[in-house]
Amino acid sequence: MDFRDAEAPPSKRKDHELDDENDDVSPIEEVRLTVSNEDDPTLPVYTFRMWFLGVISCVLLSFLNTFFAYRTEPLLVTMISVQVATLPIGRFMARLLPEKKFRVPGFGEKEFSLNPGPFNVKEHVLISIFANAGAGFGSGAAYAISIVDIIKAFYRRNISFLAAWILVITTQVLGYGWAGILRKFVVDPAEMWWPSSLVQVSLFRALHEKDNSRMSRGKFFLIVLVCSFSWYIFPGYLFPTLTTVSWVCWAFPSSITAHQLGSGMKGLGLGAFALDWSVIASYLGSPLITPFFAIVNVFVGYIIVMYVLTPIAYWGFNLYDAKTFPIFSSHLFDSKGQIYNISAIVNENFELDIPMYERQGPMHLSTFFAVTYGIGFAAIISTLTHVALFNGREIYEQIRASTRGKQDIHTRLMKKYKDIPNWWFYLMLVGSLILSLVLCIFMKDEVQMPWWGLLFAAALALIFTLPISIITATTNQTPGLNIITEYVMGVIYPGRPIANVCFKTYGYISMSQAVSFLSDFKLGHYMKIPTRAMFVVQFIGTIIAGTVNLGVAWWLLTTVENICQDQLLPPNSPWTCPGDRVFYDASVIWGLIGPKRIFGRMGIYSALNWFFLLGTLGPFVVWLLHKAFPKHKWITLINLPVLLGATAQMPPATTVNFNCWIVVGTIFNYFIFKYRKGWWQRYNYVVSAALDAGLAFMGVLLYFTLTMENRSINWWGSAGEHCDLASCPTTKGVVVEGCPVY
C-alpha cells in the first residue's frame, strides 16, 4: 500500500439535501470545495513548452528514480517536484520565446507559435502527467526492471536487451487497454471521486494563484534547493555515517544485544536517527505530503511489529530458532545460520534442483522477515474486509448513483472535447498482448513463463481492475495483488523463479498501471484537460520512461562492479540494491522453492497462514467496537490495512527510515499544520519538492565526479553505522564470520 497517498477515511459529508436537479455542483463535498466549476476551452495544450518540459521531466525523473533505486537509501523523486519546479521555468519560457507564428509543411494553412501566450495551468498539468509517468506513477522505476536486476545481478544469468525491453514496456502498457474502456464506470461518474487527485488539484490551483509576496514560492523553492544540494555532500560523501547515527552501538561497542537494539540498519533502531533527507524520504516517500492520520497509523503498526512482536518472537520464544539468525535481515539462511547457497540449488535449466535442495536443507528467514510475511498476509485480506465493512454501503450507493447516467458539472464541461474512440484502447490492448505473447513463446528460455501463464495473469488483472478501481476511487485504498499472484503461480508452476516474478508482474502491475492510468484521467477530468491529450501524454510518457529505466539499469548493471552483492562491495558502497534483494528473495521463496516447501505442509512456516484468518477477522473487531461505542469517533480512525501494512516496506526499509519519517512527518503535518497553518499551506509542498530536487542533483553530481573516478575517503565517519555485531546470532555454538561465538 502506498502511504504517501493515504488519507483519513472518506468523509460521509455527502450532502444528501442537495437538489438532485442541480447539475452545477458535485454530490461530493470535498470535490465542491476543491475543484473549479469553470473551464476555458481556448487554452492551448499542445504547446512547445508542454512537449519540451514534459519530455525533459519524464526523462529526468526516469533517470533519477532508476539511478537511486540501486542505492542503500533509494530516493523517489515524485511528480510534485516537477509541479513546483516547472512553473517558474514555464513562465520564464513564456517571456523568452518568440511569439511569431509560422506554418509547418503538411499542415495546410494552420499556424503555429513557440509562444502562444501565457503559461497556463493545462500545460502545467500535462507536463506533470509526463513527469508522473517518469516517476512510475509514484512507484519509481518500472516494476519489471527488478526482474532484469535479479537475472543479471543475483542469479548471474543473461537476458537480452530486446527481451528485457518488451517485458518492461508490455507490463507497463497492457493494463491501459482495458482501463480506457472502464473510464465510463470510474472516471465520468461524480461519485467516483478519487481522493488523491484532489491533492493535486489543490496544489495546481494554489500554484497558479497570483503571488506577489516578497517570499514567493519560487524563491523559497530555490533557497531550499540550494541548501539541500549543499548539505548532501556531507552524508553523501564526506561523512556517510550521518545517514545512520546509531549512538547506542557506539556506547556499547562489544555488546551484541546493544547492537541489535540500537542499529538503525540491522536492528531495532532504538534512538537511531539520520541527518540525511534520502533516509527520511526513502521507501515511504516524503513525510511532508502524508496526512497525519496515516502517520499515526503507521506509527502504531510500526511500534506493534517492531517493538512488541519481534522482541517477543526473538527473545521470548526463540520462534523458528530465531537466535540462530540475525534479528533483522532480508537474507535467506540455512539451518546453521549461514547465508543460503542459492546458486547450488539452481540447475542448468534455471529450475530447482530438488536433490541439491534436499541435501542443503530447508530455507530459513530472519525473525523479522518471517513476522512481516505473516503481517503481509493479514494486511492484504484486511483491506478487503475493512473496505467492505466501513465503506461498503457508501461504495454501493455511489455505484448505483454512477449507473443512473446523471452527469455533474465536470462531466458536462468535458463534453466540449473530442472523446477517445474505443478502438484506440482495443488496438493498444491487442498490440501489447501480441507483443507479450511473442516474448513468452519465442523468448521463453529467457523469461520461463508459458503463454498460458500470460493469459492467466492478464485475466486476473482484468477481473480485479474494476473492483479495485472503485475501491481506490471511493476510499483511496488500493489492495495489491502481488502476494496473491506469486502464491498462485508458486503453487501451480513451482521451481521456476523467473516465471513466478513475470507472472506476478503481468498480473499485479498490469492492474496497478490500469488504476494509475484511471487516476490520472480523473485528474485531467477535474482540470478539464482534453481526453485525447491525456491519452497521448500518458502513452508516450510511459514508453519513454520504460526505455530510460531499462537503459539506466543496463548501464549500472554492466559498469558497477559487484552491484547488489552487499557481501562483496566495499563497506561504504551505496550500491546494495535493498529493494531488489527482497524481490530476489521473493523469487526464491515463491518461485524457485515454492510456497508448498516454505508455507505449506512441507515447510517450516506453515503457521503463518493463520494470519490470513486474522486479517479477515480483525476489521470485524474494530467494526463491532464502533457499533458498540458509536460516540467514540476515534474508533473509526483505526485503519487496520494501514496499521498492518505499516511495515510492508520492511525490509528493504529499516528502522532508521521509519524513525525519521515518523518524527519529521509529525513535526510538519501536526505541529506546523496546527500552529502555523498559513505557512504550511504556502510552503509545505514546496519544501518537499526542493529537498528532493537538491538531493537528487547532488547525488548525481557526486557519482559522475567522484564515484566513477573511484575517489573515496576513508575515516571513521565513512565506515558505516558501526554496528557490526547487530547481525550476529546468539545461539550457542553457531559460528559466523566476524561474530563472537557464544
Side-chain angles (χ1 to χ4, degrees), residues 10-25:
S11 171
K12 308 238 185 208
R13 296 174 294 172
K14 191 166 63 174
D15 194 351
H16 295 291
E17 297 179 0
L18 285 171
D19 185 353
D20 288 338
E21 298 302 318
N22 186 0
D23 291 335
D24 289 334
V25 294

Side-chain angles (χ1 to χ4, degrees), residues 541-564:
T542 303
I543 301 297
I544 292 174
T547 304
V548 174
N549 289 158
L550 182 59
V552 176
W554 207 268
W555 165 55
L556 291 175
L557 289 167
T558 54
T559 57
V560 179
E561 187 177 359
N562 294 322
I563 189 169
C564 304

Side-chain angles (χ1 to χ4, degrees), residues 219-241:
K219 291 178 185 176
F220 195 75
F221 175 83
L222 189 61
I223 292 171
V224 178
L225 184 148
V226 170
C227 293
S228 174
F229 178 85
S230 304
W231 171 252
Y232 188 64
I233 194 173
F234 292 99
Y237 182 73
L238 298 175
F239 200 170
T241 297

